[in-house]
Amino acid sequence: MPELPEVAAIADYVDGRAAGLPIRRVDVASLSVLKTADPPYTALAGRIVESVGRIGKYLVIRTVPGSEATASEPMIAMVVHLSRAGWVRWSEDLSPKPLRPGGKSPIALRVHCGLPGEGFDVTEAGTQKRLAVWLVRDPAEIDRVAGLGPDALELTEERLAEILASTTGRIKNVLTDQRVIAGIGNAYSDEILHTARLSPFASSKTLKPDQVSALYDAMRTVLTDASSRLEGQEVARLKSEKRIGLRVHARTGLPCPVCGDAIREVSFADRSFQYCPTCQTGGKVLADRRMSRLLK
Ligand SMILES: [Zn+2]
């Protein structure tokens, strides 16, 4: 799942290519990804991509009227939530043919902009369709965007301490709750907790001041390191670059790069997370429902 560093890198990459270009046409293969009907997606044709940025884990493509437009919306933003399996692919070789609706292709939406053949696809792999695209005059019109917590990279340590003191729950869940802090998902929360030497099951409310400091430093270090490593990379390379930088996430059974202990995992029905017992839980192995079921 793309998180803050990947969404920032995608935004940066597409911004570098698409900003200033006219949108020639938008094709939608799967109408179910569109969460809004007004303005219609056809209204994007003829507009100019002003910028591509992000809010939390949402990609925000802002468009302004083209020079030939007379009465037109001053701003239409395409907001994309890539969810778990969504991605963006820039191409200079797009087919001019319309997308075939309902086909097996992972392409959900295609934006032709700039020269013929140029543009980008928003794709979604797999059968679970969770990708979401909104067309709005202001991203704040989207409840999920308006309800986002402060951006993980814009938090101060004091603000983080306040947030943690006012939330109940396990730190792993608090870090990944977008309404509390925006931008962090399953992979980087594993990395942040490992760097901060905190158990994923620690209660957010009872962290000591030195633990909050460690968490804050880890959050900034992990996210800025990942962002600078991914910056300027081809979008196609981002997933493998992300994987290379991970120290515990998705590395079950491999040695911890800090202490050499075997990395453990806790599994749920549709996801799992990883941690190092020696670095994070005083050597304690956390209960794992799947593992305990297997051992019965
Ligand atoms: Zn370790």
Side-chain angles (χ1 to χ4, degrees), residues 5 10 20 22 41 70 72 76 111 141 161 171 176 182 198 209-211 223 245 262 267:
I10 292 172
Y41 73 88
T70 46
S72 186
I76 300 179
V111 178
E141 290 169 28
I171 189 66
T176 52
L198 286 173
D210 61 321
Q211 292 178 311
L223 295 177
S267 302

Side-chain angles (χ1 to χ4, degrees), residues 25-38:
R25 197 177 82 217
V26 176
D27 292 339
V28 176
S30 161
L31 278 173
S32 62
V33 306
L34 280 178
K35 303 304 170 198
T36 47
D38 173 39

Side-chain angles (χ1 to χ4, degrees), residues 63-80:
T63 71
V64 291
S67 53
E68 288 151 40
T70 46
S72 186
E73 301 281 355
M75 169 64 63
I76 300 179
M78 181 193 282
V79 180
V80 181

Side-chain angles (χ1 to χ4, degrees), residues 42-54:
T42 47
L44 290 172
R47 297 177 67 86
I48 309 280
V49 177
E50 186 194 51
S51 66
V52 183
R54 70 161 185 93

Side-chain angles (χ1 to χ4, degrees), residues 194 256 258-261 276 278-279:
H194 178 256
C256 166
V258 173
C259 72
D261 192 2
C276 167
T278 297
C279 292

Side-chain angles (χ1 to χ4, degrees), residues 2-234:
E3 302 177 33
L4 186 157
E6 291 81 54
V7 179
I10 292 172
D12 202 50
Y13 186 88
V14 179
D15 185 67
R17 279 150 190 80
L21 295 183
I23 296 173
R24 289 180 291 113
R25 197 177 82 217
V26 176
D27 292 339
V28 176
S30 161
L31 278 173
S32 62
V33 306
L34 280 178
K35 303 304 170 198
T36 47
D38 173 39
Y41 73 88
T42 47
L44 290 172
R47 297 177 67 86
I48 309 280
V49 177
E50 186 194 51
S51 66
V52 183
R54 70 161 185 93
I55 302 176
K57 295 193 279 185
Y58 294 78
L59 194 66
V60 181
I61 300 140
R62 292 176 196 271
T63 71
V64 291
S67 53
E68 288 151 40
T70 46
S72 186
E73 301 281 355
M75 169 64 63
I76 300 179
M78 181 193 282
V79 180
V80 181
H81 187 244
L82 294 168
S83 195
R84 292 179 77 149
W87 202 248
V88 173
R89 197 165 58 190
W90 176 266
S91 173
E92 276 152 26
D93 191 24
L94 293 178
S95 164
K97 287 193 205 139
L99 296 176
R100 215 153 47 90
K104 289 235 163 64
S105 157
I107 302 165
L109 183 146
R110 171 170 284 172
V111 178
H112 299 267
C113 55
L115 297 171
E118 278 187 331
F120 60 92
D121 289 331
V122 180
T123 63
E124 185 173 35
T127 50
Q128 283 194 324
K129 297 302 175 194
R130 296 182 180 178
L131 180 82
V133 177
W134 297 261
L135 286 185
V136 288
R137 295 164 182 96
D138 179 352
E141 290 169 28
I142 304 163
D143 289 345
R144 283 163 61 181
V145 173
L148 289 173
D151 194 85
L153 281 179
E154 284 167 18
L155 273 179
T156 60
E157 189 176 330
E158 293 69 36
R159 186 79 188 99
L160 177 67
E162 284 166 19
I163 287 171
L164 295 175
S166 64
T167 28
T168 49
R170 289 169 169 171
I171 189 66
K172 171 78 182 174
N173 297 336
V174 171
L175 281 183
T176 52
D177 184 342
Q178 303 305 299
R179 295 164 300 177
V180 179
I181 300 171
I184 303 169
N186 195 21
Y188 289 108
S189 58
D190 279 357
E191 298 297 305
I192 290 166
L193 291 169
H194 178 256
T195 301
R197 304 180 71 90
L198 286 173
S199 167
F201 283 176
S203 157
S204 65
K205 221 183 184 114
T206 58
L207 291 186
K208 298 183 184 77
D210 61 321
Q211 292 178 311
V212 174
S213 285
L215 182 64
Y216 181 74
D217 290 344
M219 189 172 79
R220 290 206 66 87
T221 311
V222 166
L223 295 177
T224 51
D225 283 2
S227 297
S228 51
R229 207 173 46 245
L230 299 180
E231 200 184 307
Q233 295 275 356
E234 297 272 330

